[in-house]
Amino acid sequence: MIPKNHPRYKSLMVRESLAAAARSGLVSLEGLAAHGRGEAFDYLIGERTTASAAEAERLASRLILSAVRPVFSVNGNCAALAAEEIAVFQKRTGVAVEVNLFHRTEERMQQVADHLAAHGVEVLMGECERLVPLAHDRGLCLPEGIGSADLILVALEDGDRCEALRKMGRVVIAIDLNPLSRTARLATLPIIDELTRALPAITEACGTEMAGDLHTLAASIDNQKFLADALREMRERLA
Ligand code: PTJ
């Protein structure tokens, strides 16, 4: 039992719920390590949304509003941390939600989809094909989802998929607390913020921001600036 007045109450509760999700198989054991890495970077950035991340979140909402086929790619960690926020985000934006797992089994795919559906998310389901050229299972996706999306929102993953999607001409928004990760460095737009802070901020901005031409807008984004801003914030806190 974690006392409510514990100074790290929220963080400990999130850990506890992720540990339970790992025991049930919703989150992979590796996902717990990924969460710990995120916690460390969140500490460094001050566990708050920086002005630069808020700007990225507004930009993200413009990109999403400008996309014709936006898809949110959700893994076990995302589903366990933010199913409710994903449901609200989807209702506001109409974004398609597809489950994409690194530690993929058909059983886990269904488990993540069921968890999202139980929180009101409409999950795209069907026959996956290897449409993203990757040797591992993140390459498997739905032809009517990530396979034909013009914009893909990814969160809490570091690896080669973002690079592959960019090479396919897709716009990629990455929510990732680690500004040094491959995914953050290679995304069209990196959002260096915690998932459950970033998603509501993007949802809210969708109510005020305007759509434009997706690729013109994407080409105008300086992703290095957002990475540099986050690294500067972290350095300042360390100094
Ligand atoms: O559910 P699966 O099978 O698809 O497994 C997911 C794994 C664990 C494989 C996936 O999440 C992963 O590859 O994790 P990585 O490589 O550790 O990358 C996760 C990134 O997300 C790291 O850069 C973390 O800093 C970051 N991160 C962790 N928690 C959060 C976060 N970023 C934003 N908000 C968080 N809550």
Side-chain angles (χ1 to χ4, degrees), residues 68-113:
V68 178
R69 296 176 72 87
V71 175
F72 187 2
S73 174
V74 173
N75 65 16
N77 284 53
C78 289
L81 285 171
E84 272 169 35
E85 288 87 347
I86 295 170
V88 176
F89 170 64
Q90 183 181 49
K91 280 191 183 74
R92 179 63 194 83
T93 60
V95 81
V97 171
E98 178 171 339
V99 178
N100 179 280
L101 301 179
F102 187 72
H103 304 285
R104 180 189 169 113
T105 61
E106 287 315 310
E107 192 190 354
R108 223 179 134 235
M109 290 290 289
Q110 192 61 52
Q111 190 179 3
V112 175

Side-chain angles (χ1 to χ4, degrees), residues 26 28 30-31 34-35 37-39 41 75-77 81 100-104 108 138 156-158 175-178 181 193-195:
L26 182 69
S28 63
E30 294 80 354
H35 179 72
R37 177 152 40 164
E39 281 184 329
F41 279 104
N75 65 16
N77 284 53
L81 285 171
N100 179 280
L101 301 179
F102 187 72
H103 304 285
R104 180 189 169 113
R108 223 179 134 235
R138 270 194 192 131
L156 280 66
E157 78 174 50
D158 183 13
I175 301 174
D176 189 335
L177 278 160
N178 177 5
S181 83
D193 199 4
E194 202 280 325
L195 177 70

